[in-house]
Amino acid sequence: MLILGCNDFLKPKLILSYLTLSHYYGKLIFMLKQLSFIPTFLKSYRCISASIQASHVINGKALAKEIKTRIRSEHEICSKRIVPLSLGQPLIHKRPCLGYVLLGDNPSSQVYVRNKIRQCEEVGFDHKGISLPSKASEVDLLRRIRELNHDERVSGILVQLPLPPYISMQRVFEAIDPLKDVDGVHPNNLVNLIIREKEPLYMPCTAKGCLYIIQKYCPSVIGKRVVIVGQSMIVGSPIAYLLQNLDATVTSCNAMTQNLSSLTRQADILVISVGNPLFIRGDWIKPGALVIDVGTSVVSDESMKSGRR
């Protein structure tokens, strides 16, 4: 379950057909999306070692740079290749392209999309965006997703969340081509995530990014007590499944869990994903715990020129 590295993508079987080639570029985009979260969700980290009790903030930008350098290097290597197709016709390097759909003008969603666009441009990937008004219908949204599914230039697809309550997230997730589902939200990918013996085509990237950070600073999670606050299908629940599959002892909570602070104080590893700034207080955290705050929220700040941060 380790993060996919460059060598995983160099296996010859991954470049035998157009579909597997598209899947390969989707993997690159998936890795790119992981790093777009790293600088933002790492608010604090305390080493689990009992000998180190002082707080130590993870340098998320350094980790993001490490991943981005690896992706760009792999992209440059592949750009010099001619890939054979099953039909016998060579295909000159296809430039990876991330297709995304943004519905409405949610400030946090706009921040996420801007980050993804910037990361694409920094490693030489293309991007194709579809922006819809906040009152767009579900039928229109599904139609635009199908357009991206059928666009051969697009290697990976994401629909920026949250969506309005009148739109069925289940139908939206099912509409995305599993081979382009870089958010790992299609039912096929989610089911394979739960089954220990199977590997999904893609995992929800925020959850995989969290796992990357946890394993970098805590290589073995066997027996570690993990508390996850947040149970969404794209963050909290996937993180729980990933860590359970690595034999961690996982407790899944939400903002309404009774006596939540008593649970978080027991955690060796605490992951927060509730979309509520300052929800977890300092005295809720066990000394020496590793803490990852997944949330990125826009809050008022009069000291900033924009009035918010």
Side-chain angles (χ1 to χ4, degrees):
M1 303 297 284
L2 294 173
I3 188 170
L4 293 169
C6 297
N7 291 337
D8 296 307
F9 298 126
L10 294 178
K11 297 175 182 177
K13 67 180 181 180
L14 291 180
I15 55 175
L16 293 179
S17 69
Y18 176 81
L19 286 178
T20 51
L21 180 65
S22 177
H23 173 52
Y24 159 77
Y25 284 125
K27 288 285 189 182
L28 285 184
I29 289 175
F30 168 73
M31 289 179 64
L32 182 71
K33 286 183 78 268
Q34 285 177 211
L35 70 89
S36 72
F37 288 92
I38 289 177
T40 57
F41 68 53
L42 295 177
K43 302 300 189 298
S44 64
Y45 157 71
R46 293 179 173 87
C47 182
I48 288 180
S49 170
S51 63
I52 303 177
Q53 294 297 330
S55 297
H56 173 70
V57 178
I58 296 173
N59 188 338
K61 290 184 178 180
L63 294 176
K65 183 178 180 180
E66 173 186 314
I67 299 174
K68 189 157 50 179
T69 299
R70 179 154 44 112
I71 294 172
R72 187 174 188 90
S73 174
E74 176 67 8
H75 173 44
E76 290 174 349
I77 291 173
C78 290
S79 67
K80 301 174 183 178
R81 294 180 176 175
I82 297 178
V83 181
L85 293 181
S86 57
L87 298 178
Q89 297 296 323
L91 174 68
I92 304 300
H93 170 71
K94 176 190 173 189
R95 190 181 180 91
C97 177
L98 173 65
Y100 64 88
V101 181
L102 175 63
L103 196 155
D105 54 4
N106 180 291
S108 296
S109 294
Q110 291 177 334
V111 169
Y112 276 119
V113 168
R114 283 199 301 270
N115 285 342
K116 293 162 189 173
I117 290 173
R118 186 180 70 252
Q119 303 291 355
C120 280
E121 293 174 347
E122 289 182 0
V123 298
F125 290 4
D126 289 336
H127 52 85
K128 177 180 179 179
I130 297 175
S131 295
L132 298 174
S134 57
K135 294 184 178 180
S137 68
E138 180 178 306
V139 171
D140 191 25
L141 175 57
L142 295 177
R143 178 175 62 84
R144 305 309 288 271
I145 292 173
R146 287 192 291 270
E147 288 178 6
L148 294 175
N149 285 342
H150 296 141
D151 189 338
E152 294 185 352
R153 297 168 299 172
V154 173
S155 313
I157 298 172
L158 69 92
V159 177
Q160 185 61 50
L161 302 178
L163 295 173
Y166 63 85
I167 290 180
S168 166
M169 289 179 56
Q170 183 67 25
R171 284 193 287 269
V172 169
F173 294 165
E174 291 174 350
I176 300 171
D177 183 345
L179 289 173
K180 296 185 178 183
D181 172 34
V182 292
D183 256 341
V185 294
H186 189 280
N188 289 358
N189 288 323
L190 288 175
V191 168
N192 287 342
L193 177 69
I194 298 171
I195 302 174
R196 184 185 289 255
E197 291 79 14
K198 302 198 78 171
E199 179 87 6
L201 292 173
Y202 302 102
M203 300 179 193
C205 57
T206 307
K208 191 69 180 292
C210 286
L211 182 64
Y212 176 80
I213 299 299
I214 291 170
Q215 291 187 313
K216 189 172 185 67
Y217 291 93
C218 179
S220 175
V221 298
I222 296 175
K224 297 293 183 184
R225 188 178 295 274
V226 181
V227 174
I228 299 170
V229 185
Q231 298 173 320
S232 75
M233 287 307 299
I234 61 171
V235 182
S237 294
I239 295 172
Y241 295 135
L242 288 171
L243 290 170
Q244 285 172 350
N245 288 343
L246 293 174
D247 295 319
T249 302
V250 179
T251 301
S252 180
C253 310
N254 57 54
M256 306 303 293
T257 298
Q258 294 184 1
N259 300 317
L260 179 60
S261 61
S262 65
L263 295 174
T264 61
R265 289 190 185 103
Q266 300 177 44
D268 300 311
I269 300 171
L270 176 61
V271 181
I272 309 117
S273 175
V274 291
N276 188 347
L278 305 178
F279 181 78
I280 301 294
R281 304 297 176 176
D283 60 356
W284 291 19
I285 300 172
K286 174 183 176 180
L290 187 158
V291 181
I292 299 179
D293 182 0
V294 180
T296 297
S297 301
V298 178
V299 296
S300 299
D301 187 343
E302 295 181 358
S303 67
M304 304 295 289
K305 184 176 180 180
S306 64
R308 60 187 186 181
R309 60 178 172 85

